[in-house]
Amino acid sequence: MDFGIVLQTDPPARDVVRLMKDAEAAGFRYGWTFDSCVLWQEPFVIYSAILAATSSLVVGPMVTSPGTRDWSVLASTFATLNDMYGNRTVCGIGRGDSAHRVVGKPPSTLATVRDCMRVVKDLAEGRSVTMNEKTVQIPWISNGQLEMWMAGYGPKALQTVGEHADGFILQCADPAIARWTIGAVRDAARAAGRDPAGITICVAAPAYVGEDVAHQREQLRWFGGMVGNHVADLVARYGSSGAVPRELTDYIREREGYDYSHHGKAGNPSTEFVPDEIVDRFCLLGPASAHVERLQELADLGVDQFSLYLMHDDREATLASYGSQIIPKLTA
């Protein structure tokens, strides 16, 4: 299993770069950031500094969206970073949540996400595409590589992943949800004539190593709110039963709203509806041995990478614990 770290690009950017350097030294292979440039600093500027400060770390957004940048700009940005630092980027992409909603835009359609993945990948790898009825190609790219990893929860999103994406990002560490979503992605890949094993499976969730589980729950309750904000769209589309597992939908019944000014932060007041059970299922808490046990369960389900959100009050200690006590056991 590979490991990644997920950070928000809060100022000062030098702290983001420092934590990414520490993560690489601890054995993490991927460095991800949120991408919502109104709420946080512009990640693609910071990626250049991270890549310069590390030797092999692969960086990218978790996740960008089709509606935040012109697709040719997005492709050229990735291609430029790859040309400078040696194909060390990856593009996580989704329909668009905070980056869209804080500027008054709805999430993109799945068809738009599908088309964006194809255009950005082709352009970033040096192939020509048609944009606005015009053939477009970036002339200076040589040996460019860019994988497109798509995030999603619902049946149609999972089908789009299986049919078109290079990787799948599941923002939830519940094994039951992982089993269902991974199975749906692989079934869609087979139906499309693709090799399911060729799709990288990434589970992303907060992790906090320590003994005070009650405190950890309060620090990580924000994640249940973030996931619930995504799931609310699914419930509106599919209802609260049937197409989407109850493990993913039941807990949002008491959800009343969401304040993006606290998005992804400990103490988010929009997450009071999230019960302890959801925090325990969706996140990794407790001593290092509990993390190893859950990660082994996820690995047995076919998860290739675990990326931990590091938004709580003991980031450095958790990072160090993963480097010394957890990553070696899952990568041996």
Side-chain angles (χ1 to χ4, degrees):
M1 180 181 277
D2 279 339
F3 286 83
I5 181 176
V6 190
L7 300 175
Q8 293 174 338
T9 51
D10 289 312
R14 63 177 175 273
D15 282 351
V16 178
V17 177
R18 173 183 59 81
L19 283 168
M20 291 292 187
K21 287 179 62 179
D22 292 346
E24 182 181 57
F28 289 81
R29 293 191 58 235
Y30 284 74
W32 303 90
T33 73
F34 281 47
D35 179 14
S36 190
C37 54
V38 171
L39 297 178
W40 305 287
Q41 292 186 329
E42 169 54 46
F44 285 89
V45 175
I46 300 172
Y47 293 158
S48 191
I50 295 169
L51 289 165
T54 56
S55 60
S56 61
L57 197 72
V58 178
V59 305
M62 188 180 282
V63 293
T64 194
S65 71
T68 50
R69 295 173 180 81
D70 179 89
W71 299 354
S72 64
V73 173
L74 188 60
S76 182
T77 303
F78 278 113
T80 300
L81 292 171
N82 283 338
D83 189 65
M84 293 172 68
Y85 299 105
N87 287 328
R88 290 169 54 201
T89 68
V90 59
C91 181
I93 192 167
R95 294 179 59 212
D97 180 31
S98 62
H100 283 213
R101 298 187 198 269
V102 297
V103 295
K105 296 176 65 173
S108 300
T109 66
L110 290 172
T112 301
V113 177
R114 175 200 65 206
D115 293 345
C116 180
M117 286 196 293
R118 177 185 54 79
V119 168
V120 171
K121 181 180 180 68
D122 283 350
L123 280 176
E125 294 185 344
R127 293 182 291 277
S128 64
V129 301
T130 300
M131 298 183 68
N132 304 313
E133 300 182 355
K134 182 177 177 60
T135 300
V136 179
Q137 185 171 16
I138 302 176
W140 47 264
I141 294 176
S142 176
N143 299 317
Q145 296 177 21
L146 182 65
E147 290 194 351
M148 308 296 294
W149 294 15
M150 182 178 163
Y153 299 99
K156 291 184 179 179
L158 300 174
Q159 180 180 351
T160 303
V161 174
E163 292 175 347
H164 300 283
D166 299 308
F168 169 48
I169 297 172
L170 172 62
Q171 293 163 308
C172 177
D174 184 333
I177 295 171
R179 182 180 296 106
W180 175 74
T181 55
I182 293 169
V185 166
R186 289 176 170 167
D187 287 346
R190 290 188 193 95
R194 304 180 70 201
D195 179 6
I199 300 174
T200 302
I201 307 296
C202 173
V203 163
Y208 194 143
V209 180
E211 300 294 335
D212 189 347
V213 173
H215 175 73
Q216 293 174 2
R217 286 184 182 129
E218 293 309 312
Q219 285 287 300
L220 303 185
R221 201 174 302 276
W222 64 264
F223 186 67
M226 187 181 84
V227 173
N229 199 50
H230 298 156
V231 170
D233 287 342
L234 296 180
V235 173
R237 176 183 293 270
Y238 296 105
S240 59
S241 63
V244 182
R246 299 180 68 90
E247 291 92 341
L248 197 56
T249 61
D250 280 359
Y251 80 100
I252 69 167
R253 289 173 181 166
E254 304 300 321
R255 176 183 178 272
E256 295 182 352
Y258 193 82
D259 182 354
Y260 279 98
S261 66
H262 302 282
H263 189 56
K265 297 182 184 299
N268 186 338
S270 300
T271 62
E272 294 177 354
F273 70 95
V274 179
D276 289 351
E277 177 194 2
I278 289 295
V279 182
D280 293 351
R281 281 171 35 201
F282 285 17
C283 306
L284 275 71
L285 305 87
S289 59
H291 292 242
V292 171
E293 182 178 353
R294 174 75 67 83
L295 290 169
Q296 186 58 63
E297 187 176 2
L298 292 170
D300 291 344
L301 292 174
V303 174
D304 300 300
Q305 178 183 144
F306 176 66
S307 285
L308 67 94
Y309 288 94
L310 203 60
M311 277 78 82
H312 55 69
D313 62 1
D314 201 17
R315 300 189 300 178
E316 283 79 3
T318 290
L319 194 64
S321 294
Y322 262 74
S324 63
Q325 303 177 65
I326 298 170
I327 291 177
K329 288 183 170 60
L330 273 298
T331 57

